[in-house]
Amino acid sequence: MKIAFVHNVKRSDDEAEAEFDTEETIAALTGWLESLGHHVVGIDAGGPASSLIARLEGCQPDLVFNTAEGTQGRAREAFYPALFEQLGFPFTGSDAYVCTVTLDKALTKSVVATAGVPVPRGWLVRDVGAFTLPDELRFPVFVKPNFEGSSKGIDEKSKVQDAGTLIRRLAELLERYPEGILVEEYIPGRDVAVSFLEGAAPESGGILPPVVYEYGDNDIYDYRLKNHDSDDVSVAVGKGIDEGLSQRLTDLARASFAALSVRDLGRIDFRVTEDGRVYFLEVNALPSLEPGAGLYAAAAAQGMAKPERVIEAVLQSAIRRHNLSPTKLAKRGRTKVRVGLTYNLKRTADESDAEFDSQDTIDAICRAVSSLGHEAIPLEATPELPSVLRASNVDVVFNIAEGIGGRTRESQVPALLDLCEVPFTGSDAATLAVTLDKGMAKRMVKDAGVHIAPFQVISQKRTKLDPTLRFPLLAKPVYEGSSKGIKGSPVVDNKDALKDRVHELLDTFQQPVLLEEFLPGREFTVGLLGERRPRALSVMEVVFQDAAGDFPTYSYEAKQAEQNMAKFECPADIDAELEERLVKLAKKAFVALGCRDVARVDIRLDGDGNPAFIECNPLPGLSPGFSDLCVIAERSGLDYTALIGEILAPALKRWRRSRGDKSPS
């Protein structure tokens, strides 16, 4: 199967990330899944939901293996299962309802208590000023956040001996965890965890042997032990637990998991007193799967010595629940999507090939498409493309072809794909034709209310200069990209120099010349992703160096790595107000020009500091680690594969719609 492994990556020791997976855990789980014969696409759930949705739709998994904990709110663990359900992707683990209930410790105890499971007496406190000590409260009590896991908020002060200390402790914790604090009677004894693996141990209903946690002289499994000093914690299966107690724990765990409707896997923490009484403490519907976790030790005692057998049991449980039989997968058409890659290959270092792509870029995109679980099929956009396209039998095309010649060259491949009814990434032929014509694009965005610099298009040498234009002026070919023609001295400050510059460009490029008033301010570029309502990535600034001269421009020379004319800052060092204005302008231009899926909008500040549209590139470069959009995506938290997946996702949706397929397959 193709499995999307959705997780949160732990990048720091900050408490907010305590429940996230480390890089080592992610690598181990990926390796175990792959050892079982599955194709795994790792997806970091951090960042905006739109990015996660696009990446899921871009890879089209058969199943989602979910360990994502969420980032904020009382329903954070429920967010991802709810999203998977909404998108129609089968997934491992409990659903959104169960994840919401089990993150609420007080509610969980109420549910299992109705099933006859003993729980400590407790009180949920949301306002310390309104809290009155109950008559039945007996000290010591245990105080902890109600909606946190990984022992967050639990330390040596969690065991409280008197009323005054309790009130102070509540006030302190409510500052950090305002959703609520649980106060419950303290139960002395041992911590025992009972894990649930629905796809294993059928004779016990998936209940694994109890695991005893020991931590020296400590009587509380606090945040320090859980997250920093784990070497001080020992885990032993069944240590000191006789057959009768083991059965009691199994029965209570089975009743609790059933009452809560936990699926696939889970873990319950019990407290066992010296005289053998058992109390339910809490449940985790997303238990730790890091190497060495208690779940693996319990499973090994059940005969599953290798961790991958545990992962296989989780998968098998989810497969049965979602009825993902090989026959059903075949009927739903879950085979590899054939993704054609249309491109023009750069064969020389000449300016004429500047817009074309290197073989390294072609290979990188193919690898990214393949890593998403699709079949990548390179299709060079030569005159033979129409016949090659028909023979390739591709489902969808990832288009980066610039075209061979003419002012509508970028429209050639999209027009062909439309004619052949093959869905493709990026903007359609009309948009690509308009955006390549810089003068037309400026007129369209100006009509949409976007600020631009005054400009004029000169088609003939004898055309008179618009008297309202003010020097200095920037002159460039009107139908070129990749800064072609913007070299040497593209900015002129007098009529004689302008005449020479215009005549040179007309003779060289055999096309009109765009003149626009030079904008003296800072230059930025904004990357946009999305089908019709784009989201902006981090804003990048082009910071010109002294070598760029008195009238710095992002010229052809400046784009060459060996030149020291510009450097790039992403995210740009700008205030929130300017960032908002830049993003708003970029999105407005994207919509006005009819872009879709991906584009990069270049913006420059005028003499008054107002953002002005320069141009839009709906076919931005995708050279890994070099092209502006790739650098912007990386700085925005999207690796190269994720970027390619987000660009591809809308085209896959259009392909499914063209087949009349309403499912995510």
Side-chain angles (χ1 to χ4, degrees):
M1 291 190 303
K2 187 196 302 184
I3 294 177
F5 174 21
V6 178
H7 52 265
N8 290 115
V9 183
K10 184 174 185 178
R11 293 186 170 88
S12 72
D13 288 331
D14 190 275
E15 186 186 69
E17 297 187 359
E19 297 175 280
F20 293 0
D21 292 316
T22 64
E23 295 282 4
E24 293 76 15
T25 296
I26 292 166
L29 288 169
T30 300
W32 293 333
L33 287 165
E34 290 177 341
S35 73
L36 296 170
H38 303 294
H39 179 90
V40 182
V41 179
I43 298 180
D44 179 6
S50 58
S51 175
L52 174 59
I53 293 170
R55 297 183 70 182
L56 284 169
E57 292 181 327
C59 77
Q60 289 294 295
D62 297 317
L63 179 72
V64 176
F65 189 90
N66 177 45
T67 66
E69 297 277 353
T71 56
Q72 57 187 348
R74 294 180 296 175
R76 60 185 180 275
E77 290 184 357
F79 173 78
Y80 300 107
L83 183 63
F84 305 147
E85 286 184 340
Q86 183 66 29
L87 295 174
F89 292 116
F91 58 95
T92 62
S94 298
D95 64 14
Y97 175 79
V98 172
C99 288
T100 300
V101 172
T102 55
L103 194 61
D104 184 332
K105 294 178 174 62
L107 179 57
T108 299
K109 287 184 169 68
S110 175
V111 172
V112 301
T114 61
V117 178
V119 302
R121 286 181 297 181
W123 299 266
L124 179 60
V125 181
R126 293 191 174 92
D127 181 355
V128 66
F131 177 64
T132 302
L133 294 178
D135 293 337
E136 62 270 32
L137 184 147
R138 297 290 181 268
F139 290 97
V141 294
F142 199 76
V143 185
K144 58 186 176 183
N146 189 60
F147 298 98
E148 300 296 339
S150 294
S151 296
K152 291 162 70 171
I154 297 177
D155 55 29
E156 69 279 358
K157 297 185 291 183
S158 295
K159 184 179 177 181
V160 177
Q161 302 288 350
D162 58 77
T165 304
L166 173 60
I167 297 302
R168 289 193 296 273
R169 180 65 174 167
L170 284 171
E172 174 190 332
L173 285 175
L174 282 168
E175 284 289 325
R176 295 166 57 192
Y177 310 102
E179 294 90 352
I181 305 300
L182 184 62
V183 178
E184 59 186 13
E185 62 177 317
Y186 175 75
I187 307 296
R190 295 178 292 167
D191 282 326
V192 180
V194 178
S195 295
F196 171 62
L197 202 56
E198 191 173 1
E203 68 282 355
S204 61
I207 306 300
L208 301 181
V211 174
V212 179
Y213 284 76
E214 295 180 336
Y215 21 85
D217 296 331
N218 298 280
D219 61 348
I220 296 174
Y221 193 15
D222 61 12
Y223 182 81
R224 176 186 63 82
L225 287 169
K226 178 80 172 180
N227 297 279
H228 299 297
D229 297 329
S230 56
D231 290 343
D232 294 341
V233 180
S234 63
V235 177
V237 179
K239 183 178 180 180
I241 296 179
D242 59 32
E243 185 177 343
L245 178 56
S246 178
Q247 188 60 53
R248 172 78 169 148
L249 287 164
T250 296
D251 292 341
L252 291 175
R254 184 187 297 111
S256 299
F257 285 124
L260 294 165
S261 301
V262 174
R263 303 305 303 265
D264 296 347
L265 74 167
R267 190 193 73 240
I268 293 176
D269 296 331
F270 291 104
R271 194 79 158 174
V272 179
T273 65
E274 287 188 6
D275 59 0
R277 287 176 292 132
V278 178
Y279 291 89
F280 175 102
L281 295 184
E282 60 183 73
V283 65
N284 192 339
L286 282 171
S288 172
L289 290 175
E290 65 179 339
L295 174 62
Y296 299 119
Q302 200 73 22
M304 291 181 286
K306 295 183 177 181
E308 51 263 47
R309 298 280 77 83
V310 173
I311 304 305
E312 183 178 33
V314 174
L315 293 178
Q316 290 303 317
S317 176
I319 286 170
R320 285 194 295 270
R321 186 171 72 258
H322 295 289
N323 191 25
L324 297 179
S325 64
T327 301
K328 186 171 183 180
L329 287 175
K331 286 181 178 178
R332 294 176 67 179
R334 285 189 179 274
T335 56
K336 286 187 177 181
V337 178
R338 291 174 59 84
V339 179
L341 173 63
T342 48
Y343 64 93
N344 290 106
L345 184 63
K346 183 194 295 283
R347 289 184 165 84
T348 73
D350 295 341
E351 187 181 40
S352 59
D353 273 7
E355 295 176 281
F356 294 173
D357 290 286
S358 69
Q359 188 62 53
D360 288 343
T361 299
I362 305 306
D363 293 342
I365 296 174
C366 286
R367 284 194 300 271
V369 169
S370 297
S371 71
L372 292 167
H374 309 306
E375 183 179 359
I377 302 167
L379 301 170
E380 187 173 2
T382 65
E384 290 73 37
L385 180 60
S387 58
V388 172
L389 179 65
R390 286 194 297 271
S392 69
N393 195 31
V394 295
D395 299 307
V396 65
V397 163
F398 193 104
N399 177 48
I400 60 169
E402 297 282 350
I404 297 174
R407 67 176 186 172
T408 60
R409 60 187 179 276
E410 291 185 352
S411 301
Q412 292 168 354
V413 170
L416 172 64
L417 294 170
D418 274 338
L419 179 65
C420 296
E421 298 184 322
V422 178
F424 56 93
T425 63
S427 298
D428 64 12
T431 291
L432 291 174
V434 167
T435 54
L436 191 60
D437 183 333
K438 296 177 176 60
M440 182 63 70
K442 286 180 182 292
R443 293 185 184 95
M444 289 184 65
V445 299
K446 181 181 180 182
D447 288 345
V450 175
H451 178 47
I452 64 170
F455 74 97
Q456 178 183 4
V457 176
I458 294 182
S459 303
Q460 299 177 358
K461 292 181 180 180
R462 61 176 178 270
T463 303
K464 292 185 178 180
L465 177 67
D466 183 341
T468 64
L469 289 181
R470 297 174 299 175
F471 286 98
L473 296 172
L474 171 65
K476 57 186 175 182
V478 78
Y479 307 134
E480 297 297 337
S482 297
S483 295
K484 290 167 66 175
I486 306 177
K487 56 193 303 187
S489 301
V491 180
V492 294
D493 59 2
N494 62 78
K495 288 186 177 181
D496 290 338
L498 176 63
K499 180 180 178 180
D500 293 341
R501 176 69 179 162
V502 169
H503 288 191
E504 178 188 0
L505 290 174
L506 287 171
D507 290 339
T508 302
F509 291 93
Q510 297 296 302
Q511 61 182 265
V513 175
L514 176 75
L515 302 181
E516 59 184 339
E517 291 186 6
F518 176 73
L519 299 169
R522 299 162 71 183
E523 184 163 328
F524 304 92
T525 187
V526 180
L528 299 161
L529 298 173
E531 189 168 12
R532 293 297 181 189
R533 300 178 62 186
R535 70 180 182 94
L537 303 177
S538 299
V539 176
M540 174 189 278
E541 180 173 8
V542 181
V543 183
F544 296 106
Q545 305 300 289
D546 291 342
D550 295 334
F551 302 115
T553 60
Y554 195 15
S555 63
Y556 182 80
E557 293 95 340
K559 289 188 176 182
Q560 308 310 305
E562 65 270 14
Q563 300 296 326
N564 188 29
M565 301 177 69
K567 66 177 184 178
F568 310 94
E569 288 187 357
C570 186
D573 184 14
I574 53 178
D575 59 38
E577 180 185 2
L578 178 55
E579 180 179 17
E580 182 179 356
R581 294 176 70 190
L582 293 169
V583 169
K584 184 177 180 180
L585 184 152
K587 289 183 176 181
K588 202 167 185 178
F590 184 101
V591 173
L593 294 167
C595 299
R596 69 180 185 189
D597 301 352
V598 61
R600 200 193 71 242
V601 176
D602 298 332
I603 305 168
R604 193 147 178 168
L605 305 186
D606 64 17
D608 296 321
N610 296 312
F613 171 88
I614 300 177
E615 61 184 74
C616 173
N617 188 347
L619 277 176
L622 291 174
S623 299
F626 176 76
S627 294
D628 291 351
L629 183 66
C630 297
V631 174
I632 291 169
E634 185 177 344
R635 301 291 175 83
S636 302
L638 286 178
D639 61 26
Y640 190 74
T641 299
L643 173 63
I644 298 302
E646 286 216 29
I647 296 171
L648 179 59
L652 289 173
K653 288 173 64 177
R654 293 191 287 272
W655 170 62
R656 292 196 304 272
R657 288 198 296 264
S658 71
R659 300 190 310 164
D661 186 355
K662 297 181 180 179
S663 75
S665 59

